[in-house]
PDB file of all heavy atoms in Angstrom:
ATOM      1  N   LYS A 193       0.855  18.904  11.640  1.00 57.00           N
ATOM      2  CA  LYS A 193       1.996  18.447  12.413  1.00 57.00           C
ATOM      3  C   LYS A 193       2.560  17.136  11.851  1.00 57.00           C
ATOM      4  O   LYS A 193       3.381  16.492  12.476  1.00 57.00           O
ATOM      5  CB  LYS A 193       1.605  18.279  13.871  1.00 57.00           C
ATOM      6  CG  LYS A 193       1.136  19.578  14.497  1.00 57.00           C
ATOM      7  CD  LYS A 193       1.260  19.528  15.970  1.00 57.00           C
ATOM      8  CE  LYS A 193       0.697  20.759  16.603  1.00 57.00           C
ATOM      9  NZ  LYS A 193       1.510  21.902  16.608  1.00 57.00           N
ATOM     10  N   LYS A 194       2.094  16.732  10.662  1.00 59.00           N
ATOM     11  CA  LYS A 194       2.588  15.536   9.979  1.00 59.00           C
ATOM     12  C   LYS A 194       2.487  14.289  10.852  1.00 59.00           C
ATOM     13  O   LYS A 194       3.411  13.523  10.975  1.00 59.00           O
ATOM     14  CB  LYS A 194       4.035  15.729   9.517  1.00 59.00           C
ATOM     15  CG  LYS A 194       4.245  16.942   8.656  1.00 59.00           C
ATOM     16  CD  LYS A 194       3.640  16.747   7.305  1.00 59.00           C
ATOM     17  CE  LYS A 194       3.993  17.920   6.408  1.00 59.00           C
ATOM     18  NZ  LYS A 194       3.200  18.016   5.247  1.00 59.00           N
ATOM     19  N   ARG A 195       1.320  14.084  11.444  1.00 76.00           N
ATOM     20  CA  ARG A 195       1.161  12.947  12.342  1.00 76.00           C
ATOM     21  C   ARG A 195       0.118  11.935  11.899  1.00 76.00           C
ATOM     22  O   ARG A 195      -0.127  10.976  12.596  1.00 76.00           O
ATOM     23  CB  ARG A 195       0.793  13.442  13.737  1.00 76.00           C
ATOM     24  CG  ARG A 195       1.869  14.339  14.297  1.00 76.00           C
ATOM     25  CD  ARG A 195       2.167  14.004  15.683  1.00 76.00           C
ATOM     26  NE  ARG A 195       3.308  14.787  16.105  1.00 76.00           N
ATOM     27  CZ  ARG A 195       3.493  15.193  17.311  1.00 76.00           C
ATOM     28  NH1 ARG A 195       2.620  14.894  18.228  1.00 76.00           N
ATOM     29  NH2 ARG A 195       4.553  15.873  17.619  1.00 76.00           N
ATOM     30  N   LEU A 196      -0.508  12.146  10.762  1.00 82.00           N
ATOM     31  CA  LEU A 196      -1.491  11.197  10.246  1.00 82.00           C
ATOM     32  C   LEU A 196      -0.968  10.572   8.966  1.00 82.00           C
ATOM     33  O   LEU A 196      -0.465  11.257   8.092  1.00 82.00           O
ATOM     34  CB  LEU A 196      -2.817  11.892   9.912  1.00 82.00           C
ATOM     35  CG  LEU A 196      -3.792  12.147  11.027  1.00 82.00           C
ATOM     36  CD1 LEU A 196      -5.003  12.894  10.492  1.00 82.00           C
ATOM     37  CD2 LEU A 196      -4.219  10.891  11.716  1.00 82.00           C
ATOM     38  N   LEU A 197      -1.116   9.273   8.875  1.00 87.00           N
ATOM     39  CA  LEU A 197      -0.727   8.556   7.664  1.00 87.00           C
ATOM     40  C   LEU A 197      -1.997   8.314   6.858  1.00 87.00           C
ATOM     41  O   LEU A 197      -2.890   7.587   7.298  1.00 87.00           O
ATOM     42  CB  LEU A 197      -0.063   7.232   8.028  1.00 87.00           C
ATOM     43  CG  LEU A 197       0.399   6.362   6.871  1.00 87.00           C
ATOM     44  CD1 LEU A 197       1.485   7.075   6.074  1.00 87.00           C
ATOM     45  CD2 LEU A 197       0.901   5.033   7.388  1.00 87.00           C
ATOM     46  N   GLU A 198      -2.105   8.958   5.697  1.00 87.00           N
ATOM     47  CA  GLU A 198      -3.296   8.797   4.860  1.00 87.00           C
ATOM     48  C   GLU A 198      -3.156   7.543   4.012  1.00 87.00           C
ATOM     49  O   GLU A 198      -2.201   7.382   3.269  1.00 87.00           O
ATOM     50  CB  GLU A 198      -3.478  10.009   3.960  1.00 87.00           C
ATOM     51  CG  GLU A 198      -4.759   9.935   3.151  1.00 87.00           C
ATOM     52  CD  GLU A 198      -4.965  11.178   2.317  1.00 87.00           C
ATOM     53  OE1 GLU A 198      -4.167  11.389   1.381  1.00 87.00           O
ATOM     54  OE2 GLU A 198      -5.900  11.936   2.611  1.00 87.00           O
ATOM     55  N   ILE A 199      -4.130   6.652   4.139  1.00 90.00           N
ATOM     56  CA  ILE A 199      -4.127   5.386   3.426  1.00 90.00           C
ATOM     57  C   ILE A 199      -5.316   5.350   2.470  1.00 90.00           C
ATOM     58  O   ILE A 199      -6.462   5.460   2.895  1.00 90.00           O
ATOM     59  CB  ILE A 199      -4.238   4.189   4.402  1.00 90.00           C
ATOM     60  CG1 ILE A 199      -3.132   4.219   5.444  1.00 90.00           C
ATOM     61  CG2 ILE A 199      -4.265   2.875   3.653  1.00 90.00           C
ATOM     62  CD1 ILE A 199      -1.750   4.020   4.901  1.00 90.00           C
ATOM     63  N   SER A 200      -5.045   5.197   1.196  1.00 90.00           N
ATOM     64  CA  SER A 200      -6.104   5.049   0.198  1.00 90.00           C
ATOM     65  C   SER A 200      -6.405   3.571   0.015  1.00 90.00           C
ATOM     66  O   SER A 200      -5.501   2.782  -0.225  1.00 90.00           O
ATOM     67  CB  SER A 200      -5.672   5.646  -1.139  1.00 90.00           C
ATOM     68  OG  SER A 200      -5.531   7.030  -1.020  1.00 90.00           O
ATOM     69  N   ILE A 201      -7.674   3.233   0.129  1.00 89.00           N
ATOM     70  CA  ILE A 201      -8.106   1.852  -0.050  1.00 89.00           C
ATOM     71  C   ILE A 201      -9.021   1.823  -1.265  1.00 89.00           C
ATOM     72  O   ILE A 201     -10.058   2.477  -1.286  1.00 89.00           O
ATOM     73  CB  ILE A 201      -8.836   1.318   1.192  1.00 89.00           C
ATOM     74  CG1 ILE A 201      -7.914   1.379   2.414  1.00 89.00           C
ATOM     75  CG2 ILE A 201      -9.330  -0.097   0.959  1.00 89.00           C
ATOM     76  CD1 ILE A 201      -8.579   1.016   3.703  1.00 89.00           C
ATOM     77  N   GLU A 202      -8.618   1.056  -2.270  1.00 87.00           N
ATOM     78  CA  GLU A 202      -9.364   1.018  -3.514  1.00 87.00           C
ATOM     79  C   GLU A 202     -10.372  -0.130  -3.584  1.00 87.00           C
ATOM     80  O   GLU A 202     -11.422   0.013  -4.182  1.00 87.00           O
ATOM     81  CB  GLU A 202      -8.399   0.901  -4.704  1.00 87.00           C
ATOM     82  CG  GLU A 202      -7.356   2.009  -4.754  1.00 87.00           C
ATOM     83  CD  GLU A 202      -7.958   3.395  -4.881  1.00 87.00           C
ATOM     84  OE1 GLU A 202      -8.981   3.546  -5.560  1.00 87.00           O
ATOM     85  OE2 GLU A 202      -7.399   4.334  -4.284  1.00 87.00           O
ATOM     86  N   LYS A 203     -10.029  -1.275  -2.995  1.00 90.00           N
ATOM     87  CA  LYS A 203     -10.890  -2.462  -3.094  1.00 90.00           C
ATOM     88  C   LYS A 203     -11.063  -3.105  -1.723  1.00 90.00           C
ATOM     89  O   LYS A 203     -10.127  -3.169  -0.933  1.00 90.00           O
ATOM     90  CB  LYS A 203     -10.265  -3.501  -4.021  1.00 90.00           C
ATOM     91  CG  LYS A 203     -10.025  -3.030  -5.419  1.00 90.00           C
ATOM     92  CD  LYS A 203      -9.323  -4.104  -6.205  1.00 90.00           C
ATOM     93  CE  LYS A 203      -8.696  -3.519  -7.450  1.00 90.00           C
ATOM     94  NZ  LYS A 203      -7.705  -4.369  -8.028  1.00 90.00           N
ATOM     95  N   GLU A 204     -12.265  -3.611  -1.479  1.00 89.00           N
ATOM     96  CA  GLU A 204     -12.545  -4.258  -0.203  1.00 89.00           C
ATOM     97  C   GLU A 204     -11.622  -5.451   0.033  1.00 89.00           C
ATOM     98  O   GLU A 204     -11.202  -5.709   1.158  1.00 89.00           O
ATOM     99  CB  GLU A 204     -14.010  -4.703  -0.155  1.00 89.00           C
ATOM    100  CG  GLU A 204     -14.398  -5.294   1.181  1.00 89.00           C
ATOM    101  CD  GLU A 204     -15.853  -5.689   1.262  1.00 89.00           C
ATOM    102  OE1 GLU A 204     -16.589  -5.558   0.272  1.00 89.00           O
ATOM    103  OE2 GLU A 204     -16.242  -6.160   2.340  1.00 89.00           O
ATOM    104  N   GLU A 205     -11.259  -6.163  -1.045  1.00 92.00           N
ATOM    105  CA  GLU A 205     -10.443  -7.370  -0.912  1.00 92.00           C
ATOM    106  C   GLU A 205      -9.053  -7.079  -0.343  1.00 92.00           C
ATOM    107  O   GLU A 205      -8.423  -7.942   0.245  1.00 92.00           O
ATOM    108  CB  GLU A 205     -10.271  -8.073  -2.270  1.00 92.00           C
ATOM    109  CG  GLU A 205     -11.559  -8.488  -2.926  1.00 92.00           C
ATOM    110  CD  GLU A 205     -12.268  -7.358  -3.676  1.00 92.00           C
ATOM    111  OE1 GLU A 205     -11.609  -6.504  -4.281  1.00 92.00           O
ATOM    112  OE2 GLU A 205     -13.508  -7.329  -3.626  1.00 92.00           O
ATOM    113  N   GLU A 206      -8.550  -5.875  -0.533  1.00 91.00           N
ATOM    114  CA  GLU A 206      -7.200  -5.552  -0.064  1.00 91.00           C
ATOM    115  C   GLU A 206      -7.182  -4.991   1.362  1.00 91.00           C
ATOM    116  O   GLU A 206      -6.124  -4.829   1.954  1.00 91.00           O
ATOM    117  CB  GLU A 206      -6.530  -4.559  -1.014  1.00 91.00           C
ATOM    118  CG  GLU A 206      -7.183  -3.208  -1.059  1.00 91.00           C
ATOM    119  CD  GLU A 206      -6.645  -2.292  -2.138  1.00 91.00           C
ATOM    120  OE1 GLU A 206      -6.041  -2.768  -3.103  1.00 91.00           O
ATOM    121  OE2 GLU A 206      -6.839  -1.076  -1.995  1.00 91.00           O
ATOM    122  N   THR A 207      -8.349  -4.741   1.921  1.00 93.00           N
ATOM    123  CA  THR A 207      -8.437  -4.071   3.213  1.00 93.00           C
ATOM    124  C   THR A 207      -7.761  -4.831   4.340  1.00 93.00           C
ATOM    125  O   THR A 207      -6.989  -4.264   5.109  1.00 93.00           O
ATOM    126  CB  THR A 207      -9.915  -3.809   3.567  1.00 93.00           C
ATOM    127  OG1 THR A 207     -10.523  -3.100   2.498  1.00 93.00           O
ATOM    128  CG2 THR A 207     -10.039  -3.005   4.840  1.00 93.00           C
ATOM    129  N   GLU A 208      -8.023  -6.116   4.464  1.00 93.00           N
ATOM    130  CA  GLU A 208      -7.459  -6.895   5.568  1.00 93.00           C
ATOM    131  C   GLU A 208      -5.926  -6.899   5.510  1.00 93.00           C
ATOM    132  O   GLU A 208      -5.267  -6.731   6.536  1.00 93.00           O
ATOM    133  CB  GLU A 208      -7.993  -8.324   5.558  1.00 93.00           C
ATOM    134  CG  GLU A 208      -7.637  -9.082   6.813  1.00 93.00           C
ATOM    135  CD  GLU A 208      -8.394 -10.392   6.932  1.00 93.00           C
ATOM    136  OE1 GLU A 208      -9.456 -10.555   6.303  1.00 93.00           O
ATOM    137  OE2 GLU A 208      -7.913 -11.245   7.675  1.00 93.00           O
ATOM    138  N   ALA A 209      -5.356  -7.050   4.338  1.00 93.00           N
ATOM    139  CA  ALA A 209      -3.895  -7.050   4.195  1.00 93.00           C
ATOM    140  C   ALA A 209      -3.311  -5.693   4.594  1.00 93.00           C
ATOM    141  O   ALA A 209      -2.260  -5.626   5.236  1.00 93.00           O
ATOM    142  CB  ALA A 209      -3.504  -7.394   2.764  1.00 93.00           C
ATOM    143  N   ILE A 210      -3.979  -4.622   4.225  1.00 91.00           N
ATOM    144  CA  ILE A 210      -3.513  -3.279   4.576  1.00 91.00           C
ATOM    145  C   ILE A 210      -3.516  -3.092   6.089  1.00 91.00           C
ATOM    146  O   ILE A 210      -2.551  -2.591   6.672  1.00 91.00           O
ATOM    147  CB  ILE A 210      -4.364  -2.204   3.879  1.00 91.00           C
ATOM    148  CG1 ILE A 210      -4.075  -2.194   2.383  1.00 91.00           C
ATOM    149  CG2 ILE A 210      -4.119  -0.824   4.489  1.00 91.00           C
ATOM    150  CD1 ILE A 210      -5.006  -1.312   1.583  1.00 91.00           C
ATOM    151  N   ILE A 211      -4.598  -3.500   6.729  1.00 92.00           N
ATOM    152  CA  ILE A 211      -4.699  -3.352   8.188  1.00 92.00           C
ATOM    153  C   ILE A 211      -3.614  -4.168   8.884  1.00 92.00           C
ATOM    154  O   ILE A 211      -2.970  -3.690   9.826  1.00 92.00           O
ATOM    155  CB  ILE A 211      -6.099  -3.760   8.693  1.00 92.00           C
ATOM    156  CG1 ILE A 211      -7.180  -2.875   8.068  1.00 92.00           C
ATOM    157  CG2 ILE A 211      -6.157  -3.707  10.218  1.00 92.00           C
ATOM    158  CD1 ILE A 211      -7.084  -1.405   8.363  1.00 92.00           C
TER     159      ILE A 211
END
Side-chain angles (χ1 to χ4, degrees):
K193 299 202 185 280
K194 305 289 186 196
R195 300 225 173 149
L196 278 178
L197 180 63
E198 184 177 67
I199 304 294
S200 294
I201 300 174
E202 304 299 324
K203 301 176 198 163
E204 184 178 2
E205 301 81 36
E206 65 188 20
T207 306
E208 190 168 339
I210 289 172
I211 299 299

